[in-house]
Amino acid sequence: EAGVAQSPRYKIIEKRQSVAFWCNPISGHATLYWYQQILGQGPKLLIQFQNNGVVDDSQLPKDRFSAERLKGVDSTLKIQPAKLEDSAVYLCASSSPTTYTGELFFGEGSRLTVL
Amino acid sequence: AQSVTQLDSQVPVFEEAPVELRCNYSSSVSVYLFWYVQYPNQGLQLLLKYLSGSTLVESINGFEAEFNKSQTSFHLRKPSVHISDTAEYFCAVSRNTGNQFYFGTGTSLTVIP
């Protein structure tokens, strides 16, 4: 079974530039999460999708961050314009509510450095 | 709302010594509890979980955690650590509806030869 795929693994940009991250969850997983993990901190939920609908985006900085999951499968997280404090690892995770075992499956993350 | 507190940010321990990583949570509803591990340059992996039933849960690599409802704790223990256990450990909680995971700030375990 293929795991959660994320790309790119690393990205370096200057502040005020834009960046996009892509995530493909495990096949059949209806729930998809984007987390932000700043160095030395735990993952913070940015947005949660159930199929192509948003369940929770209360901690997403909507003035600069956007995310979509148009067909209920893969997802894109965009930051525009980036700030220095956006330097972090962006983690994508998925789970299957129909066969819920309490586990989130994570990708390897996309590390963003904003200069 | 739920929250998770990991009291120790860094734990150095000698190889073959025992270790305990502490986790406390707060919640007004029933929760599921998890420990995730993150090895260097890798994604988070589930180490063990408590959903219901026996309050003592074990992982395949010798870790165990005990759900203590009265103390709202879910501490992680291992009687004898190995070099390969060096990693970041995150405690997490979710409501038993399955949504909204909350993670602690993590504990960096370093096993010293």
Side-chain angles (χ1 to χ4, degrees):
Chain A
E1 177 182 79
V4 177
Q6 290 188 246
S7 67
R9 288 292 311 279
Y10 304 93
K11 189 74 175 180
I12 301 174
I13 61 173
E14 296 186 348
K15 60 183 179 183
R16 291 188 289 274
Q17 287 186 322
S18 63
V19 63
F21 301 111
W22 174 83
C23 171
N24 193 30
I26 292 173
S27 178
H29 280 195
T31 309
L32 185 148
Y33 309 76
W34 282 103
Y35 283 87
Q36 180 192 56
Q37 186 179 14
I38 293 173
L39 186 65
Q41 300 181 19
K44 183 184 85 171
L45 179 67
L46 292 176
I47 189 167
Q48 177 181 344
F49 292 96
Q50 181 77 11
N51 296 307
N52 60 352
V54 176
V55 173
D56 183 356
D57 65 355
S58 58
Q59 298 192 85
L60 186 73
K62 297 180 185 63
D63 58 334
R64 298 183 300 104
F65 286 66
S66 64
E68 60 184 15
R69 194 185 184 199
L70 295 176
K71 297 182 179 179
V73 180
D74 56 347
S75 175
T76 301
L77 175 70
K78 296 180 181 177
I79 307 174
Q80 181 180 17
K83 293 185 175 181
L84 296 177
E85 58 261 37
D86 298 332
S87 293
V89 177
Y90 291 87
L91 300 168
C92 181
S94 69
S95 69
S96 174
T98 56
T99 56
Y100 185 71
T101 59
E103 181 174 0
L104 296 187
F105 294 84
F106 283 87
E108 293 184 318
S110 295
R111 182 179 297 276
L112 173 65
T113 301
V114 182
L115 303 176
Chain B
Q2 291 78 42
S3 69
V4 181
T5 302
Q6 291 184 245
L7 299 170
D8 308 298
S9 60
Q10 295 184 345
V11 174
V13 62
F14 286 103
E15 192 174 14
E16 297 183 4
V19 70
E20 177 181 81
L21 307 183
R22 295 179 292 171
C23 172
N24 289 87
Y25 69 93
S26 64
S27 176
S28 58
V29 299
S30 296
V31 296
Y32 295 152
L33 295 159
F34 309 85
W35 277 98
Y36 279 81
V37 59
Q38 188 173 31
Y39 298 105
N41 298 314
Q42 295 186 27
L44 279 80
Q45 307 170 32
L46 180 68
L47 185 61
L48 47 75
K49 62 187 178 186
Y50 170 78
L51 302 183
S52 64
S54 173
T55 58
L56 183 65
V57 292
E58 299 178 350
S59 72
I60 59 174
N61 59 349
F63 282 93
E64 65 179 29
E66 186 162 18
F67 169 53
N68 188 318
K69 188 174 182 179
S70 62
Q71 297 186 7
T72 61
S73 68
F74 192 56
H75 301 331
L76 182 70
R77 301 183 183 93
K78 188 170 186 180
S80 176
V81 295
H82 301 288
I83 296 292
S84 59
D85 294 325
T86 293
E88 190 85 15
Y89 292 80
F90 293 93
C91 183
V93 61
S94 78
R95 287 163 38 179
N96 60 5
T97 56
N99 291 326
Q100 299 176 327
F101 274 71
Y102 297 90
F103 285 84
T105 52
T107 297
S108 177
L109 174 64
T110 302
V111 180
I112 304 164

